[in-house]
Amino acid sequence: MGVLEKIIKTLEKEVKRDIDSQYFSGGHGIRNSHDDYFKPLRDVEPHLMAFVDGGNNTILEAPRFSLQVNRVYFNLFKGKERQRPSSRIPEKIEFFSYLSVHDSENGEVGKVKIFPLSEEHRKYLPMEEDLTVTLPGPPDFYQRSRMFSVARRFAEWSFSTRIIEEELDDGDILVKDGSLDTSFEGERIYLHRILKAADKIGVNLAGLSKTCTLPTPTGNSLIASIRKLAKDKNYERWYHLLKPKEVKGHLIKIMIVKLHELSDYIFRLDLFGKDDEAEIISAIGENTVDPTFPGYPYGLIDADLNARVRMDEVKMYKASILSGLPEDVLEELKYHIRAVDAHEKLNRIAMIKDKKIR
């Protein structure tokens, strides 16, 4: 048997693994007797929904610092119809974040300074004193890369909180890209803050994850296992409840959803709110009919496109900053950057060779 045949056999064995055959009640367990856990979606009256996403890209990077450009964007839809904001809150905020690594008694920490492109937008951004995080273990490329997103992640929380407070009302929905989980120390404070705002005004807060790597208790893919179970149901659109989580007295429901009958994709959705969950998920589903990606909210597609930081923007900012540096500083900076940019150099060589082959 050749190498490729061995790989094919391995993949066959993996995808044909039996789904969990036992009853689970904890963790992210599912149950085969799932009648109480699969719920159908229904046609509902459109709700006002805000969709939020953020993006960041690297301008300069060295072992001890990183300069990022960040953007957070939101839009409004009522069902499939785009709406204009009624408040004066901007649709997007943009800022630079400068992360520098410092030594401390507990190891290395990353501290972030924020430079908004418009000073008026500072009120929507996180506080700099909240953006000090401990580097987990010896610094390597992966850990540094995670740190680059700290300012953008915190800004998504703080901007979303202001959108709830200034733009949305009781019964409206805010859908954020990604789960309602936290990854960095101090981030939980911002999650708690947005939960309090949503609870006070009566806004339903949702987090939709494009990818989900959660396993079942026996190690199978949670998404794949629930999809197999869903084949026994006749629902065209549905959701499946998992075990909820609690954040300082606020209960967040976690579920797997299929939002459009023609979609091949199912997603993890986290939901906090007092309204009927089937009503809210069905309302989000009304925004998933765009033919470019049926089953995924068009509001999040639009937010993703508008939040992305393109490479031509990065090159423009990089050229402007480097051209303003004194010659001796520029020469010194070059050696800092070259400590980590060999991969980028090789990628450029590969791209040139690839173009010549074509």
Side-chain angles (χ1 to χ4, degrees), residues 181-193:
D181 289 334
T182 57
S183 301
F184 300 101
E185 58 198 85
E187 192 178 1
R188 202 170 176 84
I189 296 172
Y190 284 72
L191 172 59
H192 186 220
R193 196 171 292 162

Side-chain angles (χ1 to χ4, degrees), residues 35 42 71 84 105 118 139 215 219 232 264 290 304 333 356:
D35 287 344
R42 59 179 188 262
R71 182 176 296 139
R84 295 187 64 82
E105 293 180 355
S118 169
D232 297 334
D264 287 330
D290 189 85
D304 175 87
L333 177 65
K356 286 182 178 178

Side-chain angles (χ1 to χ4, degrees), residues 56 58 61 66 68 99 135 140-150 152 184:
N56 64 285
T58 303
E61 178 193 354
S66 166
Q68 302 283 311
L99 180 146
L135 287 170
D140 61 18
F141 183 80
Y142 169 72
Q143 288 162 339
R144 281 203 313 275
S145 299
R146 284 187 69 242
M147 298 294 290
F148 297 167
S149 65
V150 167
R152 188 259 301 163
F184 300 101

Side-chain angles (χ1 to χ4, degrees), residues 98-345:
Y98 179 80
L99 180 146
S100 55
V101 179
H102 300 260
D103 295 322
S104 74
E105 293 180 355
N106 299 318
E108 291 185 317
V109 297
K111 296 183 179 180
V112 179
K113 286 186 174 296
I114 286 179
F115 306 90
L117 264 68
S118 169
E119 195 58 35
E120 293 180 358
H121 292 173
R122 187 177 287 279
K123 60 186 176 185
Y124 303 111
L125 295 171
M127 304 293 287
E128 285 183 351
E129 53 264 37
D130 294 332
L131 299 176
T132 298
V133 288
T134 304
L135 287 170
D140 61 18
F141 183 80
Y142 169 72
Q143 288 162 339
R144 281 203 313 275
S145 299
R146 284 187 69 242
M147 298 294 290
F148 297 167
S149 65
V150 167
R152 188 259 301 163
R153 283 182 62 93
F154 278 58
E156 288 178 0
W157 292 121
S158 58
F159 192 39
S160 296
T161 303
R162 295 298 292 265
I163 294 166
I164 288 174
E165 293 171 339
E166 298 181 22
E167 190 64 38
L168 301 180
D169 289 315
D170 186 22
D172 294 341
I173 306 168
L174 185 141
V175 184
K176 179 181 174 297
D177 178 65
S179 72
L180 300 183
D181 289 334
T182 57
S183 301
F184 300 101
E185 58 198 85
E187 192 178 1
R188 202 170 176 84
I189 296 172
Y190 284 72
L191 172 59
H192 186 220
R193 196 171 292 162
I194 193 173
L195 291 172
K196 281 181 65 179
D199 189 40
K200 180 180 179 181
I201 299 173
V203 170
N204 299 282
L205 174 65
L208 187 70
S209 302
K210 288 189 288 289
T211 59
C212 176
T213 58
L214 291 177
T216 67
T218 55
N220 281 322
S221 162
L222 182 68
I223 290 286
S225 297
I226 289 181
R227 179 182 290 279
K228 286 182 179 178
L229 293 177
K231 289 180 178 177
D232 297 334
K233 309 297 293 184
N234 292 319
Y235 301 144
E236 294 180 335
R237 302 177 297 151
W238 48 261
Y239 66 97
H240 183 290
L241 284 166
L242 305 173
K243 184 180 179 182
K245 66 176 181 179
E246 186 175 324
V247 179
K248 289 192 173 182
H250 298 103
L251 194 67
I252 297 175
K253 298 173 183 175
I254 301 175
M255 58 198 80
I256 304 300
V257 298
K258 182 182 179 184
L259 297 172
H260 191 282
E261 60 185 279
L262 299 179
S263 178
D264 287 330
Y265 289 87
I266 59 178
F267 303 105
R268 170 183 168 177
L269 187 140
D270 298 5
L271 179 64
F272 170 75
K274 298 174 182 174
D275 294 332
D276 174 53
E277 67 204 20
E279 169 85 12
I280 299 307
I281 303 167
S282 298
I284 296 172
E286 297 296 315
N287 190 256
T288 65
V289 297
D290 189 85
T292 57
F293 195 172
Y296 190 74
Y298 179 74
L300 283 181
I301 296 174
D302 178 71
D304 175 87
L305 293 174
N306 282 283
R308 283 176 183 265
V309 180
R310 303 187 308 275
M311 283 310 298
D312 60 331
E313 296 176 89
V314 171
K315 290 178 180 177
M316 180 192 70
Y317 288 128
K318 187 173 184 177
S320 299
I321 292 169
L322 294 182
S323 64
L325 290 173
E327 194 66 32
D328 59 331
V329 176
L330 190 61
E331 185 66 19
E332 189 68 26
L333 177 65
K334 182 172 64 178
Y335 294 107
H336 284 267
I337 294 173
R338 283 184 177 171
V340 294
D341 75 345
H343 278 289
E344 186 182 342
K345 182 80 172 179

Side-chain angles (χ1 to χ4, degrees), residues 88-100:
R88 300 186 64 179
I89 191 169
E91 288 182 309
K92 65 180 177 183
I93 54 173
E94 299 171 295
F95 63 99
F96 297 106
S97 57
Y98 179 80
L99 180 146
S100 55

